[in-house]
């Protein structure tokens, strides 16, 4: 009951914020509330509408939420991985870390070579958290695909190198993964 009141209050303040000074981030937060049914009845049409309003106001992160709607589908909208990729790419082109990671993860499930290419590109662009993601990627790849011992060792060295670089950048996600090795 307390959580419901807090969500209702959050919606009230978001709407007041938008009325006074429209903000892409406020529209995105409102979209998330509709997507999750927080303080309002869940409504994917309004979620998409407010994501688009957020994008119009320059909120690149909203692309990742639109992509996610298409990646997983809704009760009224079928999955469309092509559309999901399109939105993730638009966000990634604007250097939104969430869009970049969603795009990377989308390919991780479909095409390991393409995922590696995208991940390396994001590391070069300095996208936050991507070194740890790449470490996880190389670890995953070494465990679930059969390789010669030389290929396996090469992947493990790549994973360790990613974690070491991530630790140099104080990426908290790298510490426990590095400890594993």
């Amino acid at each position: 009951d307390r959580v419901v009141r807090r969500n209702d209050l959050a919606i009230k303040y978001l709407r007041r914020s938008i009325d006074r000074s429209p903000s892409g981030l406020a529209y995105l937060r409102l979209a998330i509330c509709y997507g999750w049914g927080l303080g309002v009845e869940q409504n994917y049409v309004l979620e998409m509408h407010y994501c688009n309003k957020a994008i119009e106001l320059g909120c690149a992160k909203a692309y990742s939420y639109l992509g996610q709607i298409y990646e997983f589908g809704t009760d009224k909208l079928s999955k469309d991985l092509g559309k999901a990729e399109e939105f993730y790419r638009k966000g990634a082109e604007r250097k939104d870390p969430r869009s970049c990671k969603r795009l990377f993860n989308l390919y991780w499930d479909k095409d390991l070579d393409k995922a590696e290419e995208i991940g390396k590109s994001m590391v070069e662009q300095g996208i936050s958290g991507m070194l740890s993601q790449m470490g996880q990627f190389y670890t995953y790849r070494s465990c679930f695909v059969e390789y010669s011992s030389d290929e396996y060792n090469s992947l493990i060295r790549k994973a360790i190198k990613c974690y070491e670089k991530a630790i140099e950048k104080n990426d908290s996600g790298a510490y426990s993964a590095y400890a594993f090795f």
Side-chain angles (χ1 to χ4, degrees), residues 59-75:
C59 182
K61 186 183 261 188
Y63 284 110
S64 69
Y65 285 91
L66 281 173
Q68 201 168 318
I69 291 168
Y70 284 102
E71 181 177 356
F72 298 104
T74 69
D75 59 343

Side-chain angles (χ1 to χ4, degrees), residues 139-179:
T139 303
Y140 167 84
R141 200 167 184 173
S142 71
C143 294
F144 295 104
V145 179
E146 285 193 38
Y147 292 101
S148 70
S149 61
D150 286 343
E151 291 170 316
Y152 171 83
N153 289 333
S154 173
L155 289 168
I156 295 301
R157 282 192 300 277
K158 286 178 182 181
I160 290 170
K161 188 175 179 181
C162 286
Y163 290 133
E164 288 172 343
K165 287 181 179 180
I167 287 170
E168 288 172 13
K169 294 179 181 282
N170 203 26
D171 179 346
S172 61
Y175 291 99
S176 63
Y178 186 65

Side-chain angles (χ1 to χ4, degrees), residues 91-162:
E93 288 167 4
R94 288 155 183 83
K95 307 228 187 296
D96 169 55
R98 188 174 192 278
S99 296
C100 291
K101 289 174 187 172
R102 300 280 337 153
L103 180 64
F104 175 73
N105 288 335
L106 183 69
Y107 272 104
W108 186 324
D109 291 338
K110 292 176 12 179
D111 182 340
L112 290 174
D113 292 331
K114 185 69 173 174
E116 182 176 18
E117 177 187 319
I118 289 169
K120 284 179 177 179
S121 169
M122 291 176 195
V123 166
E124 289 171 10
Q125 293 175 48
I127 302 296
S128 174
M130 280 309 298
L131 282 165
S132 287
Q133 289 268 150
M134 287 302 292
Q136 291 170 2
F137 173 79
Y138 288 126
T139 303
Y140 167 84
R141 200 167 184 173
S142 71
C143 294
F144 295 104
V145 179
E146 285 193 38
Y147 292 101
S148 70
S149 61
D150 286 343
E151 291 170 316
Y152 171 83
N153 289 333
S154 173
L155 289 168
I156 295 301
R157 282 192 300 277
K158 286 178 182 181
I160 290 170
K161 188 175 179 181
C162 286

Side-chain angles (χ1 to χ4, degrees), residues 36-81:
W36 285 86
L38 302 171
V40 293
E41 190 172 325
Q42 191 173 33
N43 185 322
Y44 297 112
V45 172
L46 286 175
E47 178 187 20
M48 293 175 77
H49 170 73
Y50 287 124
C51 278
N52 282 309
K53 294 290 276 181
I55 288 168
E56 286 173 20
L57 291 170
C59 182
K61 186 183 261 188
Y63 284 110
S64 69
Y65 285 91
L66 281 173
Q68 201 168 318
I69 291 168
Y70 284 102
E71 181 177 356
F72 298 104
T74 69
D75 59 343
K76 293 182 177 31
L77 183 70
S78 298
K79 290 181 183 183
D80 184 337
L81 296 181

